[in-house]
Amino acid sequence: MNDPRLAELSRALPDLKLTTDSGDLEHYGRDWTRRWHPAPLAIAFPATVDEVQAIVLWAFAEGVAVVPSGGRTGLSGGAVAANGEIVVSLDRMNRVLAFDPIDRTLTVQPGMPLEAVHKAAREHGLIYPVDFAARGSCQVGGNIATNAGGIRVIRYGNTRQWIAGLKVVTGTGELLDLNRGLIKNASGYDLRHLVIGSEGTLGIVVEATLSLTSPPPPSQVMLLAVPAMDALMRVFAEARHRLTLGAFEFFTDRALHHVLAHGAQRPFGEISPYYVVTEFDAQDEAQQAAALELFEFCLGEGWVTDGAISSSEAQAAALWRLREGITESLAQYRPYKNDVSVRISSVPDFMRDMQALLDAEYPQFDVVWFGHIGDGNLHINVLKPADVDDDRFVAQCEHVTKLLCDTLTRHGGSISAEHGIGLVKKPYLGSVRSEAEIALMRGIKAVWDPAGIMNPGKLL
Amino acid sequence: MNDPRLAELSRALPDLKLTTDSGDLEHYGRDWTRRWHPAPLAIAFPATVDEVQAIVLWAFAEGVAVVPSGGRTGLSGGAVAANGEIVVSLDRMNRVLAFDPIDRTLTVQPGMPLEAVHKAAREHGLIYPVDFAARGSCQVGGNIATNAGGIRVIRYGNTRQWIAGLKVVTGTGELLDLNRGLIKNASGYDLRHLVIGSEGTLGIVVEATLSLTSPPPPSQVMLLAVPAMDALMRVFAEARHRLTLGAFEFFTDRALHHVLAHGAQRPFGEISPYYVVTEFDAQDEAQQAAALELFEFCLGEGWVTDGAISSSEAQAAALWRLREGITESLAQYRPYKNDVSVRISSVPDFMRDMQALLDAEYPQFDVVWFGHIGDGNLHINVLKPADVDDDRFVAQCEHVTKLLCDTLTRHGGSISAEHGIGLVKKPYLGSVRSEAEIALMRGIKAVWDPAGIMNPGKLL
């Protein structure tokens, strides 16, 4: 704490938990990306909204950059602190503040892990339907900052749809109380929606009122082996028509290969190039029969070659594991990740072009695809061979990402579907947003954060 | 066309339909409010996005204010042109541009009436679920500019939720193509959501990609006579628990009185102080039985005193007419309108305070209440007695609105639930948005519209 600025902060907030321990700087200065060397000035652990406000006012006065910090499960470097910033960890602000059974809202602090939010909702017989594999580690404040998507978007939409109110501290230390849980509020620009997805560059989310909903009816999970890329969208269209879908995910045989190597059980005797995991309402015999009819129809059309349907929660979990285990099974290979989206209708043409590009540019690398095909969202993971040096690997992948951007632009897509722009995708922002849009974003950023201290260098 | 600025516009756009006919100025210079005397410079009827852009560039160069103009069914003066503005009517841009069955999107021009959008969606077996009584006259561009709500919000949310893409011309004449129909797109600030609800103060919506959805299952409509205010929320909580609600509306006996005087049929023998109209899924006998059980339960609890349930579409329409006919039946009395919202959980306490306020302040006026109680949205219509002069009537109502704002602030509510701020609610914006929020809104407005030509004087 030799830094005079930190001494000033400690004087102003004697109760603030603040650390400059080198292990903490290392730990809290990085997220799931591993490309930047953490070098923050200090880590602050505020316990109250007042403390967050006071930290930002201090940072504003001292010209110190602020990195809001949640579960740091991000994949775009949005929570990296590598330039003498103060990291504001929300770890200690992790409680439920209120539940209202009539409004069906849960008011929470931003540091609550997503899984804890799920649990709190279930205790009241309701659900918070945003869900994805990092649920145990990610925090709801970070989910809001990135408008997190995940595996239930096809039914429930993104995080944006579930935020009824937000308290935010701006770059000038103002505390905003946005929308306050109202369902209808036509009183000018909805600043809440501007904050959602802003990656900490406009302010820090210090409280959120989440909308909850009734649990869905009982469901079943079906795994399908799909022999060809063209068939994927046909199966999707047919499934959406016949069933009430809760999820519709796909992955390739290469993805399955890694999950199996990580301990999962092979589902079918034959290897298939593509697989679909879909979850659908199955509350009565008619709905269950519809799923079987779907399977038989797709089999008859040659769009699927094999299938399995869950008849217990354990079986459902086992089928889900084949999809949800992918990211973890790849982690040891330090994959370079693309997270792209197009309109659903553009998926087949885009996938063809993308496959051709990847085959041409990555002949020597193991490329693993999976994604939320019902949302037009594809994840591409390029695994780093052990004998290729980190920098060379990333440089080659970034070259391909530039080409991928051209393909995306041609198909009207986005270089970031749900991971956010952060540091990793910043060079490619211009492929998805026009110059005029980026100029407006910069202008808005300057209004909210005139000193440029809120997560600088990220996104813009 | 003697104005040299208009001569310049005509030279620049020889094909642009432009009028300064006094009847047109009168007609297109006003909306459903009648407080301002229309006095626009001219009315332009662009047929293309290029024409809209050229008009804004001309206005920017000449310093002429621009009023974007849809169906002008607004109730807040948001489309009024009373100060030499150019009105940009979107009437001629009223076509469907594209339908995509896989994306389930309808891309439309902004001048399409809402009802025409409904019809176009139904032709493809889908629905666009935003709906309210002005459907025949209002235009989808105006719906977006005000984030229109209506009678289906309880199930489907506001307009915001159904906008997958927007093309917008900003105050500098830039054409933005926002989000382009993507479901997942985490690439920085979502400017689309900033435009939705901005009341034409940031730019003109020139194209929208609307999300459609499957039609709901068959439904029934139930009318309930409710003897006391306290019982309304009890019936709502019980109905939401037992049924799948598509709408839950209420109105008072005074409202029914006017609808009956306008030609509707009295539903019950006895007069009741409050009525509820609710629509709910009734696709099988179990759901239909649940509705009857709800009715009997509420009857047993003394929360309702009578009820009627539709057994045909004609009966459903007749029950709906009692609610949907209110606004039209009041029009002749030139009502002063309040359109307020609170959190659903605050409705009972707020209604009690509001009732006391209205009883004290309006002892001599006929006050008609109705609203979307399941969204916390109440409409209060104060009817102008024939012998009271317009200005005095409005002055007295504005005095009460100030008091109502205090009540709303106490209950965390909004002075505009769905009508927007426009000119009518502008004096009260500070009751729902903080000074810091309003300063941010002004800053954002200056970024989008540095010359201050987009619908100036409205909202901010």
Side-chain angles (χ1 to χ4, degrees):
Chain A
M1 298 284 176
N2 292 328
D3 190 290
R5 298 169 298 177
L6 291 179
E8 175 56 35
L9 179 60
S10 287
R11 257 195 306 279
L13 292 174
D15 295 335
L16 176 66
K17 187 179 161 195
L18 194 65
T19 172
T20 54
D21 171 89
S22 65
D24 290 334
L25 298 183
E26 174 89 12
H27 181 70
Y28 286 95
R30 61 161 45 148
D31 60 10
W32 278 8
T33 57
R34 286 290 180 271
R35 279 203 237 162
W36 289 272
H37 184 70
L41 172 67
I43 319 296
F45 299 88
T48 65
V49 172
D50 284 350
E51 283 191 348
V52 175
Q53 260 190 295
I55 294 168
V56 173
L57 288 169
W58 163 85
F60 184 85
E62 299 284 350
V64 175
V66 175
V67 176
S69 187
R72 288 165 295 106
T73 57
L75 297 164
S76 296
V80 165
N83 295 301
E85 304 94 335
I86 186 150
V87 173
V88 179
S89 166
L90 284 312
D91 280 4
R92 295 177 72 199
M93 295 175 66
N94 62 355
R95 285 179 306 118
V96 172
L97 298 175
F99 168 72
D100 192 294
I102 301 292
D103 295 327
R104 304 212 285 190
T105 52
L106 193 72
T107 300
V108 300
Q109 291 184 307
M112 262 189 99
L114 176 59
E115 200 165 55
V117 172
H118 290 165
K119 189 160 166 286
R122 272 199 309 272
E123 280 168 12
H124 298 289
L126 296 167
I127 62 162
Y128 176 67
V130 176
D131 194 19
F132 45 94
R135 64 182 74 83
S137 322
C138 69
Q139 295 178 4
V140 68
N143 298 171
I144 292 166
T146 55
N147 185 28
I151 56 177
R152 305 286 172 188
V153 170
I154 194 175
R155 182 173 199 142
Y156 294 109
N158 296 296
T159 296
R160 180 179 302 289
Q161 210 159 310
W162 300 93
I163 307 300
L166 271 189
K167 286 191 183 164
V168 181
V169 174
T170 69
T172 58
E174 291 277 2
L175 175 64
L176 308 178
D177 187 2
L178 300 173
N179 198 59
R180 303 187 310 274
L182 298 171
I183 296 172
K184 286 183 173 178
N185 180 14
S187 62
Y189 313 157
D190 198 327
L191 303 181
R192 165 184 53 152
H193 283 291
L194 195 56
V195 171
I196 298 168
S198 65
E199 304 189 23
T201 62
L202 299 177
I204 304 182
V205 171
V206 292
E207 187 180 307
T209 296
L210 311 175
S211 297
L212 307 180
T213 189
S214 302
S219 63
Q220 285 183 313
V221 176
M222 186 156 64
L223 178 74
L224 299 169
V226 179
M229 196 187 279
D230 281 358
L232 281 171
M233 291 308 291
R234 298 208 169 100
V235 175
F236 169 65
E238 202 63 33
R240 186 172 63 175
H241 179 65
R242 292 170 184 253
L243 309 177
T244 302
L245 295 178
F248 194 93
E249 304 275 309
F250 100 110
F251 51 91
T252 60
D253 174 58
R254 287 309 301 163
L256 182 63
H257 166 83
H258 290 284
V259 179
L260 297 180
H262 219 69
Q265 280 208 303
R266 174 170 290 284
F268 305 127
E270 300 287 314
I271 287 174
S272 169
Y274 304 98
Y275 298 89
V276 160
V277 172
T278 179
E279 185 164 336
F280 48 87
D281 289 359
Q283 64 183 326
D284 54 33
E285 284 178 16
Q287 287 187 329
Q288 292 169 20
L292 288 176
E293 283 159 22
L294 167 72
F295 171 68
E296 277 158 23
F297 180 82
C298 290
L299 203 62
E301 295 287 327
W303 301 341
V304 309
T305 54
D306 208 342
I309 196 163
S310 68
S311 58
S312 71
E313 285 200 21
Q315 283 179 13
L319 293 179
W320 260 121
R321 189 183 165 198
L322 299 176
R323 162 66 186 83
E324 288 218 286
I326 297 171
T327 297
E328 203 186 325
S329 75
L330 301 180
Q332 60 180 303
Y333 302 103
R334 317 266 307 272
Y336 180 92
K337 289 170 185 286
N338 282 121
D339 153 50
V340 303
S341 64
V342 291
R343 290 168 67 133
I344 314 173
S345 58
S346 300
V347 167
D349 288 350
F350 171 71
M351 277 179 75
R352 238 186 324 267
D353 287 1
M354 187 174 70
Q355 179 77 77
L357 175 69
L358 300 182
D359 287 351
E361 298 290 335
Y362 287 136
Q364 75 286 34
F365 293 161
D366 187 5
V367 179
V368 175
W369 295 30
F370 57 97
H372 321 283
I373 205 168
D375 317 323
N377 177 193
L378 308 173
H379 293 291
I380 308 153
N381 282 243
V382 187
L383 307 196
K384 195 181 86 58
D387 58 351
V388 176
D389 146 84
D390 272 28
D391 290 347
R392 247 193 75 204
F393 174 67
V394 169
Q396 181 161 1
C397 292
E398 291 198 323
H399 164 71
V400 179
T401 296
K402 280 199 196 79
L403 301 175
L404 182 60
C405 282
D406 296 340
T407 310
L408 280 163
T409 302
R410 229 168 35 243
H411 292 281
S414 173
I415 190 63
S416 172
E418 58 182 359
H419 292 177
I421 297 295
L423 293 169
V424 172
K425 310 283 179 60
K426 210 171 116 178
Y428 318 107
L429 182 62
S431 73
V432 54
R433 308 295 293 263
S434 70
E435 276 180 40
E437 283 180 73
I438 294 171
L440 290 173
M441 287 201 262
R442 286 189 194 282
I444 291 166
K445 158 91 173 162
V447 169
W448 285 65
D449 176 28
I453 57 169
M454 294 308 306
N455 217 7
K458 314 294 166 56
L459 174 55
L460 289 169
Chain B
M1 300 284 174
N2 291 329
D3 189 290
R5 296 168 299 177
L6 291 178
E8 176 56 35
L9 180 59
S10 287
R11 255 196 307 278
L13 292 173
D15 295 334
L16 175 66
K17 189 179 160 194
L18 195 64
T19 171
T20 55
D21 172 88
S22 64
D24 289 334
L25 297 184
E26 175 89 12
H27 181 70
Y28 285 95
R30 62 162 43 150
D31 61 10
W32 276 8
T33 58
R34 285 291 180 272
R35 279 203 237 161
W36 290 271
H37 184 71
L41 172 68
I43 319 296
F45 298 90
T48 64
V49 172
D50 284 350
E51 282 190 349
V52 175
Q53 258 190 297
I55 292 167
V56 174
L57 286 169
W58 162 85
F60 184 85
E62 300 284 350
V64 175
V66 174
V67 176
S69 186
R72 287 164 295 106
T73 57
L75 296 164
S76 297
V80 164
N83 294 300
E85 303 95 335
I86 185 148
V87 173
V88 178
S89 166
L90 282 312
D91 281 4
R92 295 176 71 199
M93 293 174 67
N94 62 355
R95 287 178 304 117
V96 172
L97 298 176
F99 167 72
D100 191 295
I102 300 290
D103 295 326
R104 304 214 283 192
T105 54
L106 194 70
T107 300
V108 300
Q109 292 184 308
M112 261 190 99
L114 177 58
E115 199 164 56
V117 171
H118 289 165
K119 189 160 168 285
R122 272 199 308 273
E123 280 168 11
H124 299 289
L126 296 167
I127 63 163
Y128 176 67
V130 176
D131 194 21
F132 45 94
R135 64 183 74 84
S137 320
C138 70
Q139 295 177 3
V140 70
N143 298 171
I144 293 166
T146 56
N147 187 26
I151 55 178
R152 305 286 172 188
V153 170
I154 195 174
R155 183 174 199 140
Y156 294 109
N158 296 296
T159 296
R160 182 180 300 289
Q161 211 159 310
W162 300 93
I163 307 301
L166 271 189
K167 286 190 183 167
V168 180
V169 174
T170 69
T172 56
E174 291 276 2
L175 175 64
L176 308 178
D177 186 2
L178 301 173
N179 199 58
R180 302 188 311 273
L182 298 173
I183 296 172
K184 286 183 174 176
N185 181 13
S187 61
Y189 311 158
D190 197 328
L191 303 180
R192 165 184 53 150
H193 282 291
L194 194 57
V195 170
I196 298 167
S198 65
E199 303 190 22
T201 63
L202 299 178
I204 304 180
V205 171
V206 292
E207 188 180 305
T209 297
L210 311 175
S211 297
L212 308 179
T213 189
S214 302
S219 64
Q220 284 184 313
V221 176
M222 184 157 64
L223 179 74
L224 299 169
V226 179
M229 196 186 278
D230 280 358
L232 281 173
M233 291 308 290
R234 298 208 169 100
V235 175
F236 169 66
E238 203 62 34
R240 187 173 60 174
H241 179 65
R242 292 170 183 252
L243 309 176
T244 301
L245 296 178
F248 193 92
E249 304 275 308
F250 99 109
F251 52 90
T252 61
D253 175 59
R254 288 307 302 163
L256 181 63
H257 166 84
H258 290 284
V259 179
L260 297 180
H262 219 70
Q265 281 207 305
R266 176 171 286 286
F268 306 127
E270 300 288 314
I271 287 175
S272 170
Y274 304 98
Y275 299 88
V276 160
V277 172
T278 179
E279 186 164 336
F280 48 88
D281 290 359
Q283 63 183 329
D284 53 34
E285 284 177 17
Q287 287 188 329
Q288 291 169 20
L292 287 176
E293 283 160 21
L294 168 72
F295 171 69
E296 277 157 22
F297 179 82
C298 291
L299 202 63
E301 295 287 326
W303 301 341
V304 309
T305 54
D306 208 343
I309 196 162
S310 67
S311 58
S312 70
E313 284 200 20
Q315 284 179 14
L319 294 178
W320 259 121
R321 189 184 164 195
L322 300 176
R323 163 63 186 86
E324 288 220 285
I326 298 171
T327 297
E328 202 186 328
S329 76
L330 301 179
Q332 60 182 303
Y333 301 102
R334 315 267 305 273
Y336 180 92
K337 290 171 185 283
N338 281 121
D339 153 50
V340 303
S341 63
V342 291
R343 289 168 68 132
I344 313 172
S345 58
S346 300
V347 167
D349 288 349
F350 171 72
M351 276 178 76
R352 238 186 325 267
D353 287 0
M354 185 174 72
Q355 179 78 75
L357 175 70
L358 300 181
D359 286 352
E361 297 290 335
Y362 290 135
Q364 75 286 34
F365 294 160
D366 187 5
V367 179
V368 176
W369 294 30
F370 57 97
H372 320 283
I373 205 171
D375 318 322
N377 176 194
L378 307 172
H379 294 290
I380 308 154
N381 283 242
V382 188
L383 308 196
K384 196 183 83 61
D387 59 352
V388 175
D389 144 85
D390 272 27
D391 290 346
R392 249 193 74 204
F393 174 67
V394 168
Q396 181 159 0
C397 292
E398 291 197 326
H399 165 71
V400 180
T401 296
K402 279 198 197 79
L403 302 174
L404 183 59
C405 282
D406 296 339
T407 310
L408 280 163
T409 301
R410 229 168 35 245
H411 292 280
S414 174
I415 189 63
S416 173
E418 58 182 357
H419 292 176
I421 298 294
L423 293 169
V424 172
K425 309 285 179 58
K426 208 172 119 178
Y428 318 108
L429 181 61
S431 74
V432 54
R433 308 295 294 264
S434 70
E435 275 181 40
E437 284 182 72
I438 294 171
L440 289 174
M441 287 201 262
R442 285 189 194 283
I444 291 167
K445 159 91 173 161
V447 169
W448 285 66
D449 176 28
I453 56 169
M454 295 308 305
N455 217 7
K458 317 292 168 54
L459 172 56
L460 289 169

